[in-house]
Amino acid sequence: MTRPYTFDRVVRMVVTAVCVVAAIWLIDALKSVLLPFLVAWLMAYMMEPLVQINRRYLHLSGRVLAVIITLVEVCAALVLLAMFILPQLFAEMHYVARMVSDYAVSRQNVPFIPESVHEFLRSHIDFGTIASKMTSQDMRKVIEYLLSFLSSGYDFVMGIFNWFAVVLYVIFIMIDYDKLLRGFRRMVPPKYRHIVFGICTDVKNSMNHYFRGQALVAFIVGILFCIGFVIVGLPLAVVMGLFIGLLNMVPYLQLISLIPTTLLCLVCATSPDVDFWTIWWECMAVYIVVQCIQDLYLTPKIMGKAMGLNPAIILLSLSIWGSLFGLIGLIIALPMTTLILSYYDRYINPRTR
C-alpha cells in the first residue's frame, strides 16, 4: 500500500530536495578548501588497516605511536620505490626517445600493417617533439622545474600551502580516526540512527570493496605487468605497468592501455633486432596471463564474490561527479553513488534487496 502524499510529506520532500541542492552548491563553492581535507581523509582511510596491524603486532595501546610508525613505513616505501624507479625511468626515456626519433623518419615495412597506417600516425603525432621532451627530462631538469614552480607566484605558493595542509590533515585524522567516527555517530539524532547507520554500513562495505580491495588488486596487477613487460623487453616497462595498475582502479579500464602498448611496439620495431608482431604478441600474452591471474585468483581472494558496484556504474559515476566537481568529484563519486543506490534499494524499491 502506497503512502498518501500528505501536505507534511510533500513539505518534507521539498525540504530534502532543497537541502540536497544547497549541499551540492556548497560543495562546488568550497571545493578548493574541501579538496585537501577529502584527499587527506581518503589517505587516512587507506592507511587505517596498516595502523591497526601495527597496533596489533607491536602491542601498542595508543594510536599516536602506531600512526607515526605507519607514516614512517609508508614514506620509507615511497622513497625506496622512487630510488629504484627514477634512474631506470630516465634511462628508459632516453632510449625510447631515440627509437621515437628513428620511427619519425624511418620507412620500415611491418607485415600486415599498411604503410598508410604509419603515415597517418606520423602526420597526426609529432614524434620529434615527443622525443625532444623525453630527452630533456633528467634529474637536473626535474629539480629546475620544481624550483621554478616554487618561485612562480602567489597562486602556486598557496597551492603548495594547501597540499602541505594535507599532510597535517592526514596526521590529525589518523590520530583521532576512531574519535571522529564516534563523533559522527553522536551527531545523528537517536530517532534516525537505525536508518543512517544501516545506510552507512552499506556504504562502508562497498567502499571497502572499492578503495581498499580494488587498490590492492590494482597494485598487484601493476607489479605483474611491470614484471611481464620487463621479461618481454618492452620499453618503459615499469611506467606502462604502473600506468595499467592505476587504470585498474576502475575494473577492466586497463584495456585502454592496449593503444599505447601497441604504439610502443611499433616504435620498438625500428630496432633491427625487434619484430613488431613478435613483441606485440608477447605483450598480449602478458595481458592474458595477468588478466587470468586477476579474475581467477586475485579478485575472488581479495574482493570476494560480491564486487560491490558494477564496473560500468563505477565508470559512469566517476565521469558524472568528476564533470560536476572536478577532482573533488572523483573523490566523493563512489561514496555518493553508493549512498544513492543504497537509499534507493532500502526505501524506494525494497523488493530488490
Side-chain angles (χ1 to χ4, degrees):
M1 181 177 180
T2 58
R3 293 174 55 191
Y5 285 93
T6 61
F7 178 76
D8 180 67
R9 187 184 179 193
V10 171
V11 170
R12 289 177 180 271
M13 293 174 63
V14 172
V15 171
T16 301
V18 171
C19 291
V20 170
V21 173
I24 293 175
W25 174 83
L26 191 62
I27 291 174
D28 184 64
L30 299 177
K31 58 185 178 183
S32 61
V33 178
L34 292 175
L35 180 58
F37 178 78
L38 291 177
V39 170
W41 187 281
L42 178 60
M43 294 171 63
Y45 174 80
M46 296 290 291
M47 290 187 286
E48 179 61 20
L50 187 56
V51 174
Q52 297 300 331
I53 291 173
N54 286 326
R55 291 185 64 183
R56 183 167 62 251
Y57 287 100
L58 298 179
H59 305 288
L60 302 175
S61 57
R63 287 185 58 89
V64 176
L65 186 57
V67 168
I68 294 175
I69 294 174
T70 300
L71 292 174
V72 170
E73 292 170 346
V74 172
C75 292
L78 293 176
V79 170
L80 290 175
L81 186 64
M83 291 174 61
F84 172 75
I85 289 179
L86 288 181
Q88 298 187 18
L89 175 61
F90 292 136
E92 284 285 319
M93 289 178 68
H94 285 78
Y95 174 67
V96 173
R98 290 194 297 269
M99 291 193 298
V100 168
S101 300
D102 293 340
Y103 180 79
V105 298
S106 67
R107 290 294 183 267
Q108 83 273 24
N109 182 24
V110 178
F112 309 111
I113 296 182
E115 180 61 26
S116 59
V117 174
H118 298 287
E119 293 299 332
F120 176 83
L121 293 175
R122 294 188 184 100
S123 61
H124 289 81
I125 301 177
D126 191 349
F127 288 100
T129 302
I130 294 175
S132 63
K133 292 292 184 181
M134 295 178 71
T135 53
S136 66
Q137 303 304 314
D138 53 24
M139 188 62 71
R140 181 177 58 83
K141 286 291 186 181
V142 171
I143 294 175
E144 290 177 358
Y145 289 153
L146 290 176
L147 292 176
S148 63
F149 174 80
L150 291 173
S151 59
S152 56
Y154 172 80
D155 293 336
F156 288 124
V157 172
M158 291 304 298
I160 294 172
F161 173 79
N162 288 335
W163 288 107
F164 178 74
V166 171
V167 178
L168 299 179
Y169 280 141
V170 169
I171 296 174
F172 295 142
I173 291 173
M174 291 179 68
I175 291 176
D176 293 327
Y177 192 84
D178 294 335
K179 292 182 180 179
L180 291 172
L181 292 182
R182 288 196 298 268
F184 169 74
R185 294 188 181 99
R186 288 195 295 267
M187 289 174 59
V188 180
K191 179 181 179 181
Y192 301 104
R193 285 181 181 177
H194 176 72
I195 298 174
V196 174
F197 291 170
I199 295 177
C200 288
T201 300
D202 292 340
V203 173
K204 179 182 177 181
N205 292 335
S206 295
M207 291 289 291
N208 285 343
H209 273 118
Y210 180 75
F211 278 119
R212 288 178 180 164
Q214 190 64 25
L216 181 57
V217 171
F219 175 76
I220 297 175
V221 166
I223 297 299
L224 292 176
F225 270 105
C226 289
I227 296 173
F229 287 154
V230 168
I231 292 175
V232 303
L234 182 71
L236 294 178
V238 175
V239 176
M240 282 300 301
L242 296 179
F243 172 66
I244 295 173
L246 181 62
L247 290 177
N248 205 268
M249 283 299 294
V250 178
Y252 302 104
L253 189 63
Q254 70 269 25
L255 296 177
I256 295 177
S257 65
L258 287 171
I259 297 175
T261 301
T262 302
L263 289 176
L264 272 178
C265 291
L266 273 175
V267 171
C268 190
T270 57
S271 179
D273 56 344
V274 177
D275 178 70
F276 168 77
W277 289 109
T278 300
I279 191 171
W280 187 82
W281 280 113
E282 288 174 346
C283 290
M284 294 306 103
V286 172
Y287 274 90
I288 294 172
V289 171
V290 174
Q291 194 65 51
C292 290
I293 294 174
Q294 178 181 353
D295 291 340
L296 299 179
Y297 183 78
L298 293 178
T299 299
K301 289 290 184 180
I302 297 175
M303 307 290 290
K305 294 182 179 179
M307 175 62 192
L309 294 178
N310 183 277
I313 300 299
I314 293 175
L315 186 58
L316 178 63
S317 65
L318 291 173
S319 301
I320 293 176
W321 290 95
S323 62
L324 289 176
F325 302 115
L327 183 57
I328 195 172
L330 296 177
I331 297 174
I332 67 174
L334 271 299
M336 295 304 298
T337 302
T338 307
L339 182 64
I340 293 172
L341 293 177
S342 177
Y343 182 86
Y344 177 84
D345 288 344
R346 188 177 293 267
Y347 299 107
I348 299 178
N349 194 15
R351 291 176 296 178
T352 61
R353 292 185 63 86

